[in-house]
Amino acid sequence: MKYNPVIVIAAYNRPESLKRLLYSISLAKQITDTKLIISIDKNDSGDQSVRNIAHAFNWTFGEKEVICHEKRMGLKNHILLCGDLSIKYGSVIMLEDDLFVSPYFHEYACQALEYYDRDSVIAGISLYSQPVEDITELPFTAIHDGSDVYFMQFPSSWGQAWSADQWKAFRTWFDTRPDIKSIPISDVILNWPESSWKKHFTAYLAATNKYFVYPRVSLSSNFNDPGTNYASLINHDGQAVLRLQGSPYRFADLATSFSVYDSYFELLPEHVKKLNPELESYSFEMDLYGNKNSDTIQTPYFITSKDARNPVRGFKRSLKPHDMNVALNLEGDDLLLCRTADIFPLRHNTRKEVMKYKYFFTRHLPGIRVQLYKSFAKYKIFSFIYKA
């Protein structure tokens, strides 16, 4: 099936952000006769800047429609309404107003939608490639399997495309009002604000065993402009390297790829075993970011960055991405294969905290960052020894 997704921009009260995004889509390549919809949530301040920018923008690749909502919907309901447009038009590319896109964003979305059209396991197409893991904000890179994509049981919200069938499947599930607290996803995600549609989509993916397709090189980037769910003025962790070349794209099938991740950004065990057959006899969960609650895990073993009694074996954390140390069997004591029952309680675990603070100091405090971390490590400020 041929796709020509409508571009839908969800805007609210960020005029400069919208202006920047509109500039980026005006640079699009390989695009013709494509409708642009700018959907603007009501701004109670009465400021007309966003509406004026939307109406004044000259879209040269097709029809433009500006929808100005007369009642305040809020972010979640606004995104749901924009997603519903996929049912009317067959498919959409959804862009929030603080994004910036590659000139090839539309071409990529068209080809990805066509490739995964009949794959019922795929719930959406991401334009964004994750440079960090969402819960800890530590670096993330997917293991490379030779293709231009990887798969994750985590939805994209910084540039994504849906076919009508993909969106309807989510909407049908969402409209039953499921209790997402009973679904095995991170408590951090469950505690995201009620304005977040993304936590519901994350729960949907986990509940139905579906995945998003992500590009290895991003077709969108985020400026982290202050908004409903974000307040930072200086954080640029949302910036991703943009692809500046078009086709050909090397798509892969989820069934044959070994670059498949769960909602915690952890490589699925069955794919780890493909890469490291020595682990074949173990039933385990991956927990390299240290975010999983071992009390809720059903497998007898864990591969984790947490501390544990009597580890079976261990791996270094030297290769990048960190999954490679397990995949290539690099022995060490940074990542532990252990019995799930032997993992120390969270209050006694410091490996994850050391890793998090080390990343903070080396990224955000230039000049004094290395000395600070060395001093903290020397005096064991983060170390608490647990004795059973």
Side-chain angles (χ1 to χ4, degrees):
M1 176 178 175
K2 282 287 184 184
Y3 281 92
N4 183 22
V6 170
I7 301 168
V8 180
I9 294 175
Y12 175 40
N13 65 348
R14 299 185 285 196
E16 294 305 313
S17 301
L18 178 60
K19 191 183 300 182
R20 184 178 59 218
L21 172 58
L22 292 175
Y23 166 71
S24 74
I25 69 170
S26 74
L27 304 177
K29 307 289 187 184
Q30 308 298 328
I31 179 172
T32 57
D33 194 24
T34 298
K35 183 167 184 172
L36 169 66
I37 298 175
I38 306 174
S39 177
I40 305 172
D41 201 0
K42 180 177 173 55
N43 185 349
D44 293 330
S45 72
D47 188 338
Q48 300 295 307
S49 301
V50 170
R51 293 189 179 198
N52 294 340
I53 290 168
H55 284 296
F57 176 64
N58 182 27
W59 177 241
T60 61
F61 301 111
E63 179 188 353
K64 182 188 78 174
E65 180 182 0
V66 178
I67 302 173
C68 299
H69 300 282
E70 296 306 320
K71 292 184 178 179
R72 177 84 169 98
M73 292 180 291
L75 179 61
K76 180 171 73 176
N77 290 331
H78 193 190
I79 297 299
L80 291 173
L81 183 147
C82 290
D84 288 344
L85 292 172
S86 65
I87 300 171
K88 178 177 180 180
Y89 292 103
S91 57
V92 296
I93 294 173
M94 178 73 231
L95 302 173
E96 292 189 35
D97 56 9
D98 60 344
L99 300 180
F100 194 93
V101 294
S102 158
Y104 296 95
F105 78 100
H106 192 269
E107 178 198 49
Y108 175 83
C110 290
Q111 294 189 27
L113 284 166
E114 289 167 15
Y115 188 90
Y116 296 103
D117 178 37
R118 297 187 179 182
D119 193 338
S120 61
V121 178
I122 303 304
I125 308 295
S126 178
L127 302 181
Y128 185 69
S129 185
Q130 293 277 166
V132 298
E133 184 267 346
D134 260 30
I135 298 170
T136 60
E137 296 187 356
L138 288 165
F140 172 79
T141 304
I143 282 182
H144 208 306
D145 63 357
S147 74
D148 287 332
V149 297
Y150 58 95
F151 304 88
M152 196 146 49
Q153 205 160 65
F154 188 78
S156 175
S157 62
W158 287 351
Q160 66 271 13
W162 286 295
S163 70
D165 287 343
Q166 289 167 349
W167 182 258
K168 280 190 288 188
F170 164 67
R171 260 305 207 171
T172 300
W173 177 89
F174 178 79
D175 290 343
T176 65
R177 300 185 181 278
D179 177 15
I180 66 172
K181 292 181 180 179
S182 64
I183 298 170
I185 60 175
S186 168
D187 288 342
V188 173
I189 295 174
L190 289 173
N191 288 326
W192 283 351
E194 277 308 302
S195 57
S196 172
W197 63 272
K198 191 174 177 179
K199 70 177 180 180
H200 294 278
F201 213 108
T202 305
Y204 163 68
L205 295 177
T208 59
N209 198 29
K210 293 178 184 283
Y211 292 82
F212 250 71
V213 180
Y214 281 80
R216 293 190 181 277
V217 182
S218 203
L219 283 300
S220 64
S221 190
N222 186 284
F223 276 78
N224 293 120
D225 296 332
T228 300
N229 288 336
Y230 203 84
S232 174
L233 294 170
I234 59 173
N235 190 333
H236 292 287
D237 284 346
Q239 287 290 346
V241 176
L242 287 174
R243 181 169 180 141
L244 295 179
Q245 183 180 14
S247 296
Y249 301 105
R250 297 168 298 173
F251 295 113
D253 296 326
L254 185 144
T256 57
S257 172
F258 53 71
S259 193
V260 185
Y261 294 80
D262 63 21
S263 64
Y264 292 82
F265 289 60
E266 302 286 358
L267 197 62
L268 295 191
E270 55 264 38
H271 301 291
V272 178
K273 292 177 182 180
K274 290 179 187 176
L275 299 167
N276 186 349
E278 289 190 20
L279 298 173
E280 185 62 43
S281 62
Y282 294 96
S283 174
F284 62 87
E285 282 265 8
M286 291 283 276
D287 184 40
L288 305 194
Y289 285 108
N291 289 325
K292 293 184 179 178
N293 183 352
S294 58
D295 293 339
T296 65
I297 299 303
Q298 303 300 312
T299 58
Y301 290 92
F302 238 29
I303 298 181
T304 183
S305 58
K306 294 174 182 162
D307 290 312
R309 304 180 188 87
N310 307 315
V312 177
R313 59 175 301 182
F315 307 90
K316 282 190 177 295
R317 199 178 202 138
S318 302
L319 297 174
K320 294 182 180 180
H322 58 190
D323 332 64
M324 291 292 286
N325 298 280
V326 180
L328 297 180
N329 215 17
L330 191 61
E331 293 186 6
D333 60 2
D334 299 316
L335 304 170
L336 305 178
L337 169 63
C338 58
R339 290 189 176 276
T340 303
D342 288 340
I343 296 173
F344 290 155
L346 186 60
R347 66 181 179 277
H348 300 298
N349 256 292
T350 57
R351 286 172 179 260
K352 184 178 76 166
E353 293 305 309
V354 169
M355 181 176 65
K356 186 166 98 174
Y357 286 114
K358 179 178 180 180
Y359 174 66
F360 175 83
F361 289 134
T362 55
R363 183 178 179 91
H364 297 295
L365 297 176
I368 61 170
R369 59 194 181 188
V370 175
Q371 287 304 319
L372 271 172
Y373 178 70
K374 285 182 177 177
S375 297
F376 277 19
K378 177 180 178 182
Y379 294 107
K380 300 183 179 178
I381 289 176
F382 298 128
S383 297
F384 301 91
I385 299 174
Y386 175 78
K387 301 198 180 214

